[in-house]
Amino acid sequence: MTKNELKILPTHLGIIIDGNGRWAKMRGLSRSQGHMAGFKNLEVIVKECFYKYNIPHVSIYAFSTENWKRPKKEVDYLIKILREYLDDNFSVKYPNVKLNIMGDYTKFPEDLVIKATATIEETKNNTKFILNLGINYGGRDELLYAINNIIKKEITEVDANILENHLYTKGQPPLDFLIRTSGEQRLSNFMLWQVAYAEFYFPKVHWPAFKKKDLLEALQTYQNRDRRFGAIKE
Ligand code: IPE
Ligand code: IPE
Ligand code: MG
């Protein structure tokens, strides 16, 4: 099946990029080399989502609130890679993409914060695609951040609309499809609110080895899912 035969595509696709470490270990490489390969692959796959499949909202889990528990050396390396990912070339790499960071990124070193803020500013008027990048992101943290901001406004009764307007994904549709590579079948605190009716897909392949053909296969699977949202088909 080719892309032209894909009739139903997700509007909002999430990816939990897992397995960089295991991919490296299998090859006798360091975990850092695994992350390096993972981020290279991220660029390729995200571009494919936007420019080949025209998926308007893509959410990536790149660094969780729990990932600070990893050895300092690994955390430092991940920060180095994030810095490169968010470099001045971002808008060249991703034309028409608005960068939206999910998570309190001010906890990262100052130069990364400056870079991220500049890239957000530079891309803010792009309307075709949105890349939601989860860094220091946790779904529970996001809900607390939303609730606390609502309280600050002295709003006393909250409905779904108000809550959604205080999430990092404000104004965006919920997740339709969530891919987590490497075989683990858990959310690890990713987009707890937005995932409510998403379809899940857990390929065994480790993230650096998840190629364009794997994305196509995932999207083919998605279009054959029967989404009912609690209703029945008459
Ligand atoms: C995912 O790969 C990348 C990040 C969490 C940043 P892992 O580093 O979790 O790889 P495994 O799960 O140890 O193989
Ligand atoms: C989830 O992967 C976080 C990211 C992909 C950024 P982890 O590898 O950290 O998750 P666990 O520890 O296996 O649940
Ligand atoms: Mg992992």
Side-chain angles (χ1 to χ4, degrees):
M1 192 186 282
T2 66
K3 126 184 201 231
N4 296 331
E5 289 163 71
L6 284 174
K7 295 198 167 43
I8 304 166
L9 281 158
T11 301
H12 192 164
L13 167 69
I15 309 181
I16 301 177
I17 54 169
D18 199 14
N20 291 350
R22 279 164 282 175
W23 177 88
K25 194 169 180 197
M26 278 169 56
R27 287 163 178 76
L29 303 171
S30 66
R31 291 187 61 86
S32 295
Q33 286 170 304
H35 292 312
M36 174 64 87
F39 273 77
K40 278 208 180 115
N41 194 45
L42 184 62
E43 198 176 317
V44 174
I45 298 297
V46 167
K47 279 187 178 159
E48 189 82 347
C49 291
F50 289 140
Y51 307 119
K52 177 157 183 190
Y53 297 111
N54 251 312
I55 297 171
H57 304 263
V58 176
S59 292
I60 300 295
Y61 206 6
F63 191 100
S64 74
T65 45
E66 288 72 30
N67 286 146
W68 296 105
K69 294 179 198 160
R70 296 189 180 195
K72 182 169 184 308
K73 186 171 158 250
E74 179 163 347
V75 169
D76 285 348
Y77 192 77
L78 283 166
I79 291 172
K80 177 176 134 63
I81 294 194
L82 284 171
R83 200 178 271 130
E84 281 161 22
Y85 190 69
L86 294 169
D87 72 7
D88 314 330
N89 272 329
F90 186 92
S91 19
V92 179
K93 280 190 294 204
Y94 297 112
N96 289 322
V97 176
K98 176 174 168 173
L99 174 70
N100 178 42
I101 291 195
M102 305 191 290
D104 179 7
Y105 66 95
T106 64
K107 296 288 181 290
F108 289 105
E110 201 187 347
D111 67 320
L112 177 54
V113 176
I114 291 170
K115 221 161 228 182
T117 309
T119 307
I120 291 168
E121 180 62 25
E122 200 184 319
T123 61
K124 72 175 184 205
N125 294 324
N126 291 339
T127 49
K128 194 148 193 241
F129 305 108
I130 299 183
L131 175 62
N132 299 302
L133 185 68
I135 56 173
N136 190 23
Y137 175 82
R140 289 179 165 203
D141 258 22
E142 178 180 32
L143 288 169
L144 293 172
Y145 159 86
I147 292 164
N148 282 315
N149 281 322
I150 291 168
I151 291 171
K152 276 187 206 146
K153 292 183 187 163
E154 297 183 11
I155 297 169
T156 49
E157 199 173 321
V158 178
D159 60 18
N161 212 11
I162 293 176
L163 185 74
E164 281 171 2
N165 279 333
H166 290 82
L167 296 174
Y168 290 122
T169 50
K170 178 182 171 188
Q172 298 184 52
L175 277 179
D176 295 305
F177 191 36
L178 179 66
I179 300 173
R180 179 175 186 148
T181 53
S182 226
E184 242 62 77
Q185 302 190 13
R186 56 177 171 256
L187 287 176
S188 301
N189 201 10
F190 190 56
M191 299 183 88
L192 299 179
W193 176 274
Q194 299 90 334
V195 86
Y197 253 107
E199 295 295 325
F200 291 165
Y201 185 70
F202 299 113
K204 289 258 178 326
V205 56
H206 298 308
W207 174 252
F210 183 90
K211 299 297 170 200
K212 292 178 179 176
K213 69 165 182 29
D214 300 292
L215 178 66
L216 174 61
E217 214 173 282
L219 294 171
Q220 286 164 349
T221 303
Y222 174 77
Q223 79 162 353
N224 291 319
R225 294 281 173 91
D226 184 12
R227 302 187 79 195
R228 290 189 289 271
F229 299 98
I232 54 166
K233 293 224 170 84
E234 308 212 10

